[in-house]
Amino acid sequence: AARIQAIWRDCRARFGAGGPFLFGGFCAADCFYAPVVFRFRSYGVPLDANAAAYCDAVVAEPKVAKWVAAAIREPRIY
């Protein structure tokens, strides 16, 4: 978790000036890390302020909300 937060912090510092995501605007890198965001939240992983803000931005992204809504509609197979 610490290493991922360090990666996020570095990306935001070097490339994230244009918005709240790793490289400013929402991109494939944020799609890649979206499951990690949800896992961190599910398990209550303590996050630094930078990582918490990034997670909030990912969860608030309309494309991610659409993805989550579609996942909820998926039938469960046991």
Side-chain angles (χ1 to χ4, degrees):
R3 176 68 178 129
I4 290 171
Q5 290 182 76
I7 291 168
W8 291 353
R9 196 169 33 257
D10 183 56
C11 287
R12 294 280 308 125
R14 293 173 61 196
F15 309 108
F21 300 104
L22 296 178
F23 296 92
F26 188 72
C27 69
D30 304 301
C31 293
F32 175 84
Y33 278 114
V36 176
V37 166
F38 284 103
R39 198 60 73 9
F40 280 178
R41 288 187 165 214
S42 295
Y43 292 119
V45 174
L47 301 173
D48 62 35
N50 183 286
Y54 172 67
C55 289
D56 291 344
V58 169
V59 171
E61 166 58 42
K63 293 175 185 93
V64 173
K66 185 176 178 181
W67 173 50
V68 169
I72 290 169
R73 289 192 305 271
E74 283 286 322
R76 292 182 185 233
I77 299 172
Y78 297 96

